[in-house]
Amino acid sequence: MKIRANREQLADALGRAQRAVGSRSSLPVLQGLLCEASDGKLAVTGTDLEVTVRSEIEADVEEWGKAVVPGRLFTQAVRRMPPGVVTLRAGDQSELEISGETPQPVYTLRQLSEDFPKLGSAGSGGIEVEGEGLTTAIRQVAPAASTDLGRAVLTGVLMESTSERLRMVATDSYRLALRDLPAIGLEATGLLPARGLRELPNTVGASKVNVGFTEREGVFNSTAGTLRLRMIEGNFPKYETLLPSEYPNQLVCDRESLLETIRRMELVAEDHYPIRLTISEGGAEVNVIRQDVGRATDHVEGEFQGESSSLTVAFNPRYLADGVVATGAEKVRLRIIDGMKPSVIDDPDRKEFLYLLMPVNV
């Protein structure tokens, strides 16, 4: 293999593919990037078998071929080459040489001897969606997914489709985020790893993204490359039963004001002591008490409507802040039944997104 490519484009392709490479693996070859040179292009692939990223760039290909090179070292070496054209040469000596337009520097990296995993095809079909809208939806929903690998099903985002909309749902059993993308319909439904979906903006993010499913993977294609996510096996919780049909109480307030108040409370609460909201006409009194540290109090102005003249509810501060941030609206609405049942955070003017949060019993 021998190719010449622009350093910036090559470094970008390597960086994108490297995001799929895990920090630890029982297979050393999974620490590598597969480089494949063919007619006028170089394709770079990284994978941990759950998340796969393939990125392609135009290149002057003098000799076709492929090589598997330690990903992190390869990426850093290319980034440290002088600006301009970079040449990659891989011969029969199990080494890859990286050189530039000047005699020095030159890097010679040993290729990984094991065979790179055979990966599935990119699939066909799917539907084209607005890349920015898809990225926003992922950022709204993914924070609610669990990071506990012992509960694998809850580490995923359910993508279920009808002819009218694509719905994305995630939950860690303490909170649930749901986002509908109207007028987008797919032929399949899948549970995809949230960790992989979070990488979409950094790997194949573009103005248009094609979304589709194979039998075992979710596939996202754009001009920047391909992201493939292996589906998580298991049954996602029946989340519909968690969504009450009505809420007798609600508070509407300025999103930034509420966020600032939560952040001030976090100085005492950190991320695990609950903060209490006593809601009544005019807004909410917010406080946190820690016996070993002290207390903090604040007030958020807002419009309250409800059956009760006043009610108190407590939440995990980090979970509450995540929900408020995810709405992305100027105004945020907190819909409450009582201090024991799930509450909903959403945008009072839009119905596409909601964030369900379990209160803390204090």
Side-chain angles (χ1 to χ4, degrees), residues 10 24 33 41 120 123 132 163 208 248 263 268 315 344 357:
L10 178 58
R24 297 184 181 87
L33 294 176
K41 68 179 181 180
E132 184 177 351
S163 59
K208 299 290 184 180
R263 289 164 182 158
V268 175
F315 298 110
V344 161
L357 181 58

Side-chain angles (χ1 to χ4, degrees), residues 15-42:
R16 290 172 184 266
Q18 178 66 21
R19 299 188 74 92
V21 177
S23 58
R24 297 184 181 87
S25 175
S26 58
L27 297 175
V29 73
L30 294 184
Q31 298 297 312
L33 294 176
L34 171 64
C35 298
E36 299 172 287
S38 58
D39 189 14
K41 68 179 181 180
L42 174 71

Side-chain angles (χ1 to χ4, degrees), residues 144-193:
S146 176
T147 57
D148 181 0
L149 298 180
R151 302 188 297 171
V153 168
L154 299 186
T155 66
V157 173
L158 177 66
M159 298 184 70
E160 60 177 9
S161 182
T162 68
S163 59
E164 299 177 351
R165 54 100 178 118
L166 174 65
R167 172 169 288 181
M168 304 174 66
V169 187
T171 181
D172 61 4
S173 75
Y174 301 104
R175 53 194 173 152
L176 179 147
L178 180 152
R179 171 65 194 271
D180 285 337
L181 292 171
I184 297 174
L186 296 171
E187 296 181 355
T189 293
L191 181 60
L192 304 180

Side-chain angles (χ1 to χ4, degrees), residues 128-262:
E128 188 175 71
V129 304
E130 293 290 336
E132 184 177 351
L134 180 62
T135 296
T136 298
I138 291 171
R139 286 174 175 162
Q140 288 179 304
V141 172
S146 176
T147 57
D148 181 0
L149 298 180
R151 302 188 297 171
V153 168
L154 299 186
T155 66
V157 173
L158 177 66
M159 298 184 70
E160 60 177 9
S161 182
T162 68
S163 59
E164 299 177 351
R165 54 100 178 118
L166 174 65
R167 172 169 288 181
M168 304 174 66
V169 187
T171 181
D172 61 4
S173 75
Y174 301 104
R175 53 194 173 152
L176 179 147
L178 180 152
R179 171 65 194 271
D180 285 337
L181 292 171
I184 297 174
L186 296 171
E187 296 181 355
T189 293
L191 181 60
L192 304 180
R195 180 183 69 84
L197 284 173
R198 290 189 186 100
E199 292 297 342
L200 188 144
N202 303 311
T203 54
V204 299
S207 60
K208 299 290 184 180
V209 177
N210 186 277
V211 183
F213 289 92
T214 66
E215 184 178 349
R216 296 183 178 180
E217 292 181 318
V219 183
F220 304 83
N221 289 298
S222 75
T223 54
T226 300
L227 171 67
R228 295 207 309 274
L229 305 178
R230 187 173 63 185
M231 292 184 188
I232 299 173
E233 296 182 0
N235 296 320
F236 195 76
K238 296 186 182 300
Y239 67 90
E240 297 94 338
T241 61
L242 301 175
L243 305 176
S245 58
E246 59 182 29
Y247 296 84
N249 307 289
Q250 72 173 37
L251 173 71
V252 177
C253 60
D254 181 77
R255 172 173 169 264
E256 289 302 318
S257 296
L258 181 54
L259 276 176
E260 285 300 318
T261 298
I262 295 170

